Amino acid sequence: MKNPRGLTLFQKARAILTKIVPPKKAVQPQPAVVPTPAPAERPLPLPESPANGERVVFDERSEGHLRSLTPEAERRFRQWLTQVRHLGIPVVIIEGTRTFAEQAAIYAKGRTAPGPKVSWAPPGSSMHNYGVAIDFVVFEGLTPKGGQGKPLWGSPMMEQAGRLAMSMGLRWGGVWSGGKQDKPHIELPHSLSSLKQAMPKGWTPRK
Ligand SMILES: [Zn+2]
């Protein structure tokens, strides 16, 4: 059965259907949905370090404690303090090396001397005795002598400064558990036993 244009009915129907039904599009593969892991810790922005050879001089109080440390500790804590100050955190180092005699006096408090206990470490068992630890606190502001205003022990900037230390390969006491948490404390990642062997009388700060 032919129409005047020479198409069979079937051909005509197919021509119509082809016009109406759009050709199948190739199905685009959907990108696989990768669940974004919740960020556990927001990394701190790391500002530029000072150029090689440039030595930042800090407030007198921090400088005094930095100079009491071993050369390696002094170098690494200077790097840390530079970064912390670049973040605008008014951190001051309030403790550095403690000699065995100084540690003995602190340990005696609340034991053989009056007052509350202030240290759990007898002489020779604190990282401060080997020149590889510091204590710090955030102040309201800074002066050339040290901190200005009140020490802010509970400030979130304490956490920020401590976490920055950890990102630089230092140990921060703020993450210690078992009643040992010590937010102001940072130390080099050395073992106490190897320090005792290397320095049986502890580190003697240079004058
Ligand atoms: Zn400490």
Side-chain angles (χ1 to χ4, degrees), residues 13-32:
R14 194 175 65 175
I16 291 165
L17 276 173
T18 315
K19 271 181 199 162
I20 295 168
V21 181
K24 268 191 179 176
K25 275 186 190 163
V27 178
Q28 293 293 322
Q30 294 295 313

Side-chain angles (χ1 to χ4, degrees), residues 98 128 133-135 182 185-186:
R98 283 198 296 263
H128 286 283
I134 57 142
D135 296 330
D182 193 356
H185 180 96
I186 307 175

Side-chain angles (χ1 to χ4, degrees), residues 33-52:
V33 179
V34 180
T36 314
E41 282 168 20
R42 203 157 54 87
L44 286 162
L46 287 179
E48 292 294 312
S49 295
N52 278 347

